[in-house]
Amino acid sequence: MSMSNKFQRTGVLDRLNKASSAEEIFALLGVDYDPKIVNVARLHILKRMGQHLAKEQFAGAAEVEIAARCKAMLEQAYAEFVVSSPIDQRVFKVLKDAVAEPKKPAAFVPLSALK
């Protein structure tokens, strides 16, 4: 069964939403991957793909076009983690906060200054 026939029966976005693993998403979209990279960065790749998807407008698009755009977004997200690490990409808040400018400490007032 071709990718276009598979997605015409049920919407590609619905199928992606119901996928239970990164590997299943890669398979649904027909994207090749290195298991070593996916094992290390699966959540980061999917989060980045989600960030790309959030910017898209799919209303009125044919399922074949939606599938092709989703595939391109997954390929782009995956490629980002092939050339750099999750630490470098910092898609999650906890990693962004780890390098954020430290907050200035409250002004110090010595006890001797108090009257």
Side-chain angles (χ1 to χ4, degrees), residues 23-84:
E23 291 81 359
E24 188 176 348
I25 291 172
F26 277 87
L28 281 169
L29 295 174
V31 175
D32 292 330
Y33 63 93
D34 179 343
K36 290 181 211 161
I37 291 170
V38 172
N39 285 339
V40 171
R42 75 181 58 245
L43 295 176
H44 304 271
I45 293 167
L46 296 179
K47 172 83 172 180
R48 180 59 52 85
M49 181 190 178
Q51 290 170 338
H52 296 317
L53 281 170
K55 298 174 190 172
E56 289 291 313
Q57 296 296 322
F58 292 115
E63 283 299 311
V64 174
E65 180 187 342
I66 293 171
R69 287 164 58 188
C70 288
K71 179 179 181 177
M73 286 178 239
L74 179 57
E75 288 171 335
Q76 179 184 353
Y78 174 73
E80 292 172 19
F81 291 93
V82 168
V83 298
S84 66

Side-chain angles (χ1 to χ4, degrees), residues 78-110:
Y78 174 73
E80 292 172 19
F81 291 93
V82 168
V83 298
S84 66
S85 73
I87 297 293
D88 296 333
Q89 291 292 323
R90 299 188 192 282
V91 267
F92 288 101
K93 183 180 183 323
V94 68
L95 295 176
K96 288 177 188 170
D97 289 351
V99 294
E101 289 290 320
K103 294 180 181 173
K104 292 184 179 182
F108 178 73
V109 179

